[in-house]
Amino acid sequence: MKKKNGQEFEQLLNWVEGRLSDVEAEELGAQLETAGEDTNALIEWLQKFQHITEKHLLVTPPDHLDEKLYSIFTKHTKTTQHPRFFQRLIAALTFDSYQHLTAAGIRASATTILERQFMYSTDLAEITVDSQWNAQEKSVDMNGQVFPLNDADETICLVELQKNKIPIKRTSTDLLGKFNFTSLAPDIYDIILSSDQFEIIITGMELQF
Amino acid sequence: MSSNISDKETNAQSDDDLIQACRQGDIRAWQTVVNKYKRLVFSIPLNYGLSYEDAADITQITFTIMFESLDRFYANARLAPWLATVARRHSWRLMEHYRRESIKEDADLAQNLITEIDLTSKKEMENWALLEWLDQGFSQLDERCGKLLLYLYFSPENYTYAEVAAKLKMPTSSVGPIRARCLKRLKKLLGKEP
């Protein structure tokens, strides 16, 4: 007997979710061996949906958050944006994982330290740089990210890597402020991050292990 | 829902119209933006494993930044990816903060220095596009179906049928069939995958 569409959908959903008894599942499985294209497409969709639900959360925030979000409009007064002048800033090193280890009294050898992390600070942005030693190629890979202190600021900028004041590589940050350079020789580098409105200079970054 | 704005009104206005109206001081437009995107924004930190409290903070930060950036949106701007980007950035920043805190506290420094999360992979970007696609589908679904499917399939709490029935004040035996009907509707609204 041909099931109505709604019943078929529910039965296939139950089958995909493992909610049928062993007997029902076996019976349905046998029927599906001769299923048409539409039914197979539906099963595929349901299986994909199940996979999506295993990997994703989608949650409505609690009601009490609504008033806080609505009140952003009434609380914050909009101020006229003043013209921004170009700023040139030297970044200050605030964290070096290699120095952190040394200060902690942990002896580090080149064979055990494979990563080194830096954090820099300026009035406009914080910058983190993770560097990793590639033992096979005997080179260094670097991943950085720019975090503007004023989140409304753009994070897209040009990133130039210099050695002895000579530019050797260039890239740009993505929408999230991330950038990377790969296969670098272990050495000491400068990084210049620049946009229409600023230039941030990081000097003496030791990419050495 | 605490707002009087109907779902129909929420979905009818384009992002461009809403931004223009917000710029002109229309608080209803702002409330519409919040109602339209709060679930997407709130869910992003949760998908990174952050707590409900952190998600609430990041949601407030994200919408505050959006408000402060109203003058900077270009014509035909799409708010979903913009809001998602800001929410992800702040989720990462908070995770980085927690990671640095754990480095300070944990004696096993070598292990803690290893960066565990790959945030730049193509898979990562596809995951977020999928979340936006799902959220759009749910925005068009009626409230009861939306709640039922979110509880059953997308909530971290793994509610049973009985728990969902209690929340939605329906017989437990109805949950199964209703979920199938609701999912069928959602499937129709979602259309093709991104």
Side-chain angles (χ1 to χ4, degrees):
Chain A
M1 190 166 72
K2 200 173 180 182
K3 290 189 185 297
K4 292 178 186 173
N5 277 343
Q7 286 174 320
E8 182 189 80
F9 189 98
E10 185 181 353
Q11 195 183 36
L12 289 174
L13 178 60
N14 287 337
W15 182 67
V16 166
E17 292 182 359
R19 293 182 185 272
L20 296 179
S21 67
D22 289 346
V23 170
E24 288 171 325
E26 199 176 325
E27 275 177 15
L28 182 55
Q31 288 175 29
L32 291 174
E33 282 175 15
T34 54
E37 205 176 298
D38 287 350
T39 302
N40 285 328
L42 177 55
I43 292 170
E44 194 183 327
W45 191 94
L46 290 171
Q47 287 169 335
K48 275 188 183 172
F49 182 78
Q50 189 183 38
H51 182 71
I52 289 169
T53 66
E54 288 164 7
K55 302 273 183 196
H56 293 83
L57 296 174
L58 196 56
V59 178
T60 303
D63 286 344
H64 65 78
L65 192 58
D66 284 354
E67 286 309 314
K68 290 183 184 178
L69 299 177
Y70 295 157
S71 71
I72 289 169
F73 195 83
T74 47
K75 275 185 188 170
H76 289 75
T77 52
K78 294 175 73 169
T79 58
T80 308
Q81 284 207 338
H82 299 288
R84 300 265 307 270
F85 299 103
F86 187 83
Q87 296 182 75
R88 195 164 185 274
L89 303 160
I90 309 291
L93 178 67
T94 56
F95 178 78
D96 177 354
S97 61
Y98 190 74
Q99 288 178 8
H100 190 69
L101 283 172
T102 307
I106 297 168
R107 290 189 62 162
S109 72
T111 57
T112 55
I113 301 300
L114 301 178
E115 299 198 5
R116 190 168 176 178
Q117 290 155 333
F118 304 90
M119 280 166 45
Y120 294 88
S121 174
T122 71
D123 287 343
L124 282 181
E126 289 179 357
I127 303 106
T128 62
V129 177
D130 294 339
S131 59
Q132 192 168 36
W133 173 248
N134 186 328
Q136 206 170 0
E137 295 185 12
K138 294 190 177 8
S139 67
V140 181
D141 296 330
M142 175 215 293
N143 292 292
Q145 189 166 6
V146 181
F147 295 95
L149 296 182
N150 180 349
D151 288 292
D153 283 348
E154 196 65 68
T155 51
I156 296 176
C157 57
L158 195 69
V159 186
E160 186 175 275
L161 192 70
Q162 293 185 353
K163 194 157 66 171
N164 299 323
K165 308 291 181 201
I166 298 167
I168 55 167
K169 286 200 179 194
R170 267 202 201 110
T171 185
S172 61
T173 58
D174 63 14
L175 272 176
L176 298 161
K178 293 190 161 209
F179 62 92
N180 70 290
F181 293 109
T182 57
S183 303
L184 302 173
D187 209 321
I188 298 173
Y189 294 89
D190 298 339
I191 297 179
I192 317 291
L193 302 123
S194 55
S195 76
D196 288 340
Q197 291 162 342
F198 66 79
E199 190 174 81
I200 292 173
I201 301 154
I202 295 172
T203 60
M205 181 184 296
E206 294 182 21
L207 295 187
Q208 292 173 320
F209 295 83
Chain B
M1 288 174 67
S2 53
S3 165
N4 290 325
I5 300 162
S6 68
D7 288 339
K8 225 176 176 178
E9 285 176 314
T10 299
N11 293 321
Q13 295 174 276
S14 70
D15 285 353
D16 219 21
D17 290 341
L18 289 169
I19 291 168
Q20 293 301 327
C22 287
R23 284 176 182 160
Q24 286 158 19
D26 185 350
I27 191 170
R28 276 174 55 92
W30 176 256
Q31 290 173 346
T32 302
V33 169
V34 166
N35 291 332
K36 198 171 175 181
Y37 295 113
K38 64 184 180 183
R39 181 178 52 226
L40 173 66
V41 173
F42 187 77
S43 299
I44 287 170
L46 297 179
N47 277 281
Y48 277 121
L50 292 168
S51 68
Y52 274 81
E53 291 71 28
D54 288 336
D57 288 343
I58 287 169
T59 303
Q60 288 183 75
I61 290 168
T62 302
F63 279 104
T64 301
I65 293 167
M66 197 223 132
F67 176 82
E68 291 175 352
S69 307
L70 277 174
D71 286 340
R72 297 160 72 146
F73 286 102
Y74 295 116
N76 301 317
R78 282 187 58 236
L79 285 173
W82 192 94
L83 288 164
T85 299
V86 174
R88 272 160 40 212
R89 182 185 300 154
H90 283 274
S91 299
W92 292 347
R93 190 182 293 197
L94 190 55
M95 287 158 67
E96 183 69 11
H97 168 75
Y98 287 147
R99 194 175 73 86
R100 287 177 223 155
E101 290 295 311
S102 72
I103 287 172
K104 286 178 195 169
E105 288 166 11
D106 198 323
D108 189 3
L109 292 166
Q111 187 176 3
N112 276 317
L113 287 173
I114 295 168
T115 306
E116 291 112 13
I117 305 167
D118 176 11
L119 301 170
T120 58
S121 65
K122 188 183 172 198
K123 194 177 171 186
E124 176 81 8
M125 301 307 287
E126 283 170 354
N127 275 339
W128 295 115
L130 209 54
L131 195 69
E132 284 175 37
W133 172 73
L134 280 169
D135 183 67
Q136 264 194 339
F138 273 99
S139 297
Q140 301 170 72
L141 203 58
D142 62 275
E143 190 175 339
R144 189 174 85 145
C145 269
K147 282 185 175 178
L148 186 144
L149 293 179
L150 288 173
Y151 284 143
L152 283 178
Y153 293 116
F154 292 100
S155 171
E157 281 85 4
N158 289 321
Y159 294 114
T160 63
Y161 275 15
E163 286 167 334
V164 171
K167 281 183 174 298
L168 297 177
K169 296 182 175 48
M170 62 169 62
T172 304
S173 58
S174 300
V175 172
I178 293 175
R179 108 203 180 280
R181 285 201 292 276
C182 291
L183 186 55
K184 199 174 176 186
R185 276 181 222 162
L186 180 64
K187 178 179 180 294
K188 199 172 174 185
L189 290 168
L190 283 172
K192 280 189 181 174
E193 268 180 65

